[in-house]
Amino acid sequence: MKYYARIGILLHQLRMIPLTWLNLSWGSQLLLVTFSYVVGISGLWLLFPPTHNGSSMFLPIVIACWLFRYRGLLTAMVLNGIAFQLTYIFLLRGLLPDQAFVVGGIVGFITSLGLGIIVCWLRAAVDQVRMARQRVQAAEQEQLRIHLQEQQIALAYEQQRKINALKDQFLLNVSHELRTPLTVLGGSLEILHDFGERLDPTTRAQYMKHAIESQEDLAALVDRVLDATEIISDIPGARPEAINVRHFLQDVLTQLKAPEIAAYTIHLQLPDQLMVWADPQFLRQVLHNLFSNIFKYVPTRTEIHIEGVQSKSSSFVNIHIRDEGPGIPADELSLIFEKFVRLKRDIGGPTRGTGLGLYICKQLMEAMGGRIWVESSGQPDQGSCFCLSLPAVTSD
Ligand code: ADP
C-alpha cells in the first residue's frame, strides 16, 4: 500500500477517536466519572501533605464536563463544594494541618470552574462538528442510495434489452431454420396436389419423399428447441461416475453417424489411465454437440485431434478437441457459449442451427463441476480448439 494511503487511513482513524468517545452509553459515562473521582480524590490525599493543592481533581472535572457538559460542570461544582466544606470542617476540628487551605481551595474552585467552562464549550463545538459530519454522512448515504438505485434500474434495463435481443435472435434463428424445410414441404405438397394425377409414380414418390423428409426436419427442429428449453429451464442434478476418457470417447465416436465420421481423419491421443468424474449422459451430450458442430462447420477431409492431458499438479483432466475449420473470430470468442448466439458469418448462412448447442454444453459441464472454453487464433481456416476440463479421478 502506498505510504500516503496509509497516512490517509491513519488520519481517518484518528479523526474517529473522539467520535467513539462521544458514543459511550450513559451508564459507562457515569462509571467513568465515578472512577475519575476516585482517582482524583486518592491523588489529592496522597499528594496532600507535600503539595496540598487540588490539581488531581481537575481530572474528574474535565471528564464530567466532557461527558455531561454543563450538567456535569454543575454537579462537579456542587460535589467540590461539599468536599471543600467537609475538608474545612476537618480542618477546623484540627484533623487537617494546613492553614493555607482556604485560599488554595478557593483558587482551585475558581480554576476548576474556568476549566469546566472551557471543556463544556469545547464539547459543544465538537458536538456541532459531529452533527455536521452526521448530516454530511446522511447526505452521502442518500446520494449513494440514489446512485445504487439508478444502477439497478440501468442493470434491469440492460437485462431486459439483452432478453429482447435474445428473443429476436432466437426468432431469427428458428425462422431461418423453419424456412427451408417449410418451403420444400409446401412446394412438394403443392405439386402433388396440382399435378399428382398426371405425374408418373417415380416422380410422385420422389415428391412424397421430399415432403416426408422436410416434415421430419421440422419435427427434429421442434424437438431440438424443446429439448434445449427443457435443459435451459431445468438441468437435472449430475450423477458423476468414474469414467475412462479413452474408452468413453471411442464409444461416443462409434455412436456417431459412420459416413460423417469417415469424412474426417481423427487422431486420438488419450492416455489409457486417464479417468474423470462425470455424468456419462451429460458428457455424451456435450461430445455429441461438439461433434455435430464439427460436422456442420468444419470442412470434410480435414484432421481432428483429440487430446487428453492431466498436469501433475492439477486435479483436473483437460480434453482438447482441435479442428481445422474456419475458427472463431476473436471478437466473438467470449459470446459463443451464450444462449442463441451464432457467429455472424453463420446467421442467415446455409448451415442451420439454433445457437443453443454450446450454451447447453456449458450448462452441462458446469453441472459436473467442470468447464468448457474455446481457443482459436481467430484467423480464418486456422481452426478452433474446444477444451473440456473435468475433475480427475485420483488413485488415492
Ligand atoms: P448452432 O450450431 O445450433 O448454431 P452452437 O451453440 O452449437 O449452435 O454453436 C454456436 C455457433 O458457434 C455456431 O452457430 C457456429 O457459428 C459456431 N461454431 C460452433 N462450433 C464451431 C466450430 N467447430 N468451428 C467453427 N464455428 C463453430
Side-chain angles (χ1 to χ4, degrees), residues 79-92 96 101:
L79 286 176
N80 277 10
I82 295 170
F84 178 70
Q85 283 300 324
L86 284 175
T87 324
Y88 190 53
I89 292 166
F90 289 153
L91 191 78
L92 288 182
L96 293 173
F101 175 81

Side-chain angles (χ1 to χ4, degrees), residues 173 177 224 289-290 292-298 321 323 325-329 332 336-347 351-361 374 383-386:
N173 288 349
E177 282 270 276
R224 272 208 307 281
N289 283 357
L290 294 181
S292 96
N293 278 351
I294 288 178
F295 302 150
K296 283 199 291 186
Y297 303 108
V298 178
I321 303 175
D323 65 49
I328 315 285
E332 293 180 89
I336 199 168
F337 293 96
E338 298 286 324
K339 233 186 267 180
F340 304 125
V341 170
R342 304 195 72 207
L343 295 183
K344 276 181 223 140
R345 67 164 178 248
D346 289 316
I347 297 176
T351 316
R352 293 200 253 139
T354 50
L356 287 168
L358 290 178
Y359 173 76
I360 291 169
C361 287
V374 62
S384 5
C385 179
F386 283 87

Side-chain angles (χ1 to χ4, degrees), residues 239-245 248 274-280 283 391-394:
R239 290 195 206 145
E241 290 174 15
I243 290 178
N244 179 298
V245 178
F248 194 81
L274 214 55
M275 301 283 289
V276 289
W277 280 114
D279 181 313
L283 186 57
V393 177
T394 44

Side-chain angles (χ1 to χ4, degrees), residues 177-178 180-182 184-185 210-224 352:
E177 282 270 276
L178 286 172
T180 319
L182 265 181
V184 178
L185 179 65
H210 286 161
I212 290 168
E213 276 172 2
S214 304
Q215 181 274 333
E216 280 171 359
D217 261 9
L218 285 172
L221 170 68
V222 171
D223 280 352
R224 272 208 307 281
R352 293 200 253 139

